[in-house]
Amino acid sequence: MPNTRKGKPSSKRKAKRRFSGNRFTSKIEGPAPAEAACLDEEPAESIIEFDTGDLDASTLKLVHLESDSSDDLNSDVESSGVDDIRRIIDVAPLQEFILEAAVCRECKVGDLHLTETQRDGLASHVTLTCSECDQVYPSVLAKKSGKFFEMNRQAVMASRCIGKGKQGLTTFFSCMSMPKPMANAAYDGHRNALYEAAEVVVKQCMDKAASRLTDSDATASNFKDIAVTVDGTWMRRGFSSMYGIVFVIAWETGQVVDFCTLSRYCHTCKLWAAKRRSGQVSEQVYSEWKVSHQPACDITSH
């Protein structure tokens, strides 16, 4: 007779739920292996379809990683013949390879020894010296564009893109047991050149984005009102950052049509304030300089 008393749990345990397969697994469409072997032509690649409607973010990331894994493996083989790809090469195996595979072009018997004679940042000036006839073959292991090496400028751009700067680039090369990348003056020169180039590109992109929203015959007296959103951010978290930026984004296209940088710090003002406190300049001289410095002051927000 079943137990009908309330409050007392039943002694009969529920059966465990058996695993019946993952309902999120992919569905592979394509010919079966036996059918594909019978075809004269090569079987087409299997089409993997995923029902992403019920998947969470973590599962979607795994799906994309699994689908792109084969392309990543093949890309290393396909890109081995490209000339403009840079590599980090260990010098010792390179020297051994040269000794085993190369001989002097003049005497045909001497071994070639690799020596670094000069460095311009990441660009190495090397020579191959023959052990028999002392013939020297100089070369530079970097492409030069005008007065600078492309490798140095691209390294500066990479450090700026990841937000690390000169110190972060130096730390990376130190951990890789490599020489320092470049001097501070050279780094600043590359940074200023990249800044000027970025200003030109940014202006062209914003002008193009604005031209898509306005009429071709729009003038100062005949302009078109557009809907925009304004968003801004600071360089650091919290309210202690000295630099910020504000973007104006077009509502229709989602493209940036204007921006403005904000700063609460000026290095020149800091130097002159220190001179005033130390008594190097009088209050009158400081006041006159302050008025003349206003148009060039970096402080845009108080």
Side-chain angles (χ1 to χ4, degrees):
M1 182 176 180
N3 187 4
T4 58
R5 288 184 298 176
K6 295 182 180 181
K8 186 176 180 180
S10 175
S11 59
K12 187 176 180 181
R13 299 179 61 181
K14 295 182 179 180
K16 292 184 178 180
R17 183 177 179 181
R18 296 182 178 179
F19 180 73
S20 57
N22 189 357
R23 63 192 182 96
F24 298 126
T25 53
S26 60
K27 300 178 181 179
I28 302 178
E29 296 182 359
E35 297 176 358
C38 298
L39 297 177
D40 296 335
E41 300 179 354
E42 295 182 359
E45 295 182 357
S46 300
I47 302 176
I48 303 178
E49 297 182 355
F50 297 95
D51 185 10
T52 59
D54 299 331
L55 300 183
D56 55 358
S58 300
T59 308
L60 285 175
K61 291 179 181 179
L62 294 176
V63 167
H64 291 304
L65 289 176
E66 292 175 356
S67 60
D68 296 339
S69 59
S70 59
D71 297 335
D72 296 338
L73 294 175
N74 295 330
S75 62
D76 294 339
V77 179
E78 294 172 358
S79 63
S80 60
V82 181
D83 297 333
D84 58 350
I85 292 181
R86 298 180 176 90
R87 295 284 190 268
I88 298 178
I89 300 177
D90 198 348
V91 179
L94 179 60
Q95 175 64 76
E96 295 177 359
F97 173 73
I98 294 175
L99 291 175
E100 294 178 359
V103 294
C104 179
R105 186 174 56 187
E106 298 294 333
C107 64
K108 310 296 183 182
V109 293
D111 296 331
L112 298 177
H113 295 274
L114 179 67
T115 306
E116 184 181 39
T117 58
Q118 182 184 348
R119 280 197 313 110
D120 291 333
L122 301 180
S124 297
H125 298 254
V126 297
T127 58
L128 291 174
T129 307
C130 179
S131 60
E132 297 293 334
C133 63
D134 295 333
Q135 179 69 25
V136 178
Y137 303 94
S139 179
V140 182
L141 302 182
K143 292 183 180 180
K144 196 170 185 179
S145 178
K147 297 182 179 181
F148 64 91
F149 290 98
E150 297 179 0
M151 185 183 300
N152 293 333
R153 182 152 295 184
Q154 192 164 0
V156 175
M157 185 182 66
S159 66
R160 302 298 296 177
C161 289
I162 62 178
K164 295 301 181 181
K166 172 66 166 54
Q167 188 59 39
L169 191 63
T170 304
T171 303
F172 171 77
F173 279 88
S174 176
C175 295
M176 294 292 294
S177 300
M178 299 173 64
K180 292 183 179 180
M182 62 198 69
N184 293 333
Y187 184 90
D188 294 339
H190 288 296
R191 182 190 59 187
N192 296 335
L194 290 172
Y195 175 76
E196 295 175 359
E199 274 191 326
V200 175
V201 175
V202 166
K203 188 177 184 306
Q204 293 177 353
C205 293
M206 290 192 302
D207 292 344
K208 186 180 295 184
S211 63
R212 296 176 181 176
L213 301 172
T214 58
D215 298 332
S216 59
D217 57 347
T219 60
S221 59
N222 180 21
F223 58 89
K224 178 181 178 182
D225 293 332
I226 60 174
V228 297
T229 60
V230 181
D231 193 8
T233 182
W234 290 100
M235 183 177 178
R236 298 179 180 178
R237 295 180 180 179
F239 299 93
S240 61
S241 180
M242 294 294 180
Y243 303 98
I245 186 169
V246 178
F247 298 96
V248 179
I249 306 172
W251 178 266
E252 297 180 5
T253 61
Q255 296 178 340
V256 177
V257 295
D258 197 4
F259 75 97
C260 178
T261 57
L262 304 176
S263 173
R264 294 190 297 179
Y265 176 79
C266 179
H267 186 66
T268 308
C269 292
K270 183 179 180 180
L271 294 179
W272 274 82
K275 292 180 180 180
R276 184 184 64 172
R277 289 193 301 267
S278 62
Q280 297 181 11
V281 295
S282 61
E283 290 291 338
Q284 182 179 358
V285 175
Y286 177 79
S287 301
E288 294 176 355
W289 170 85
K290 190 71 174 178
V291 174
S292 62
H293 176 67
Q294 284 299 328
C297 185
D298 294 334
I299 298 178
T300 57
S301 177
H302 297 277

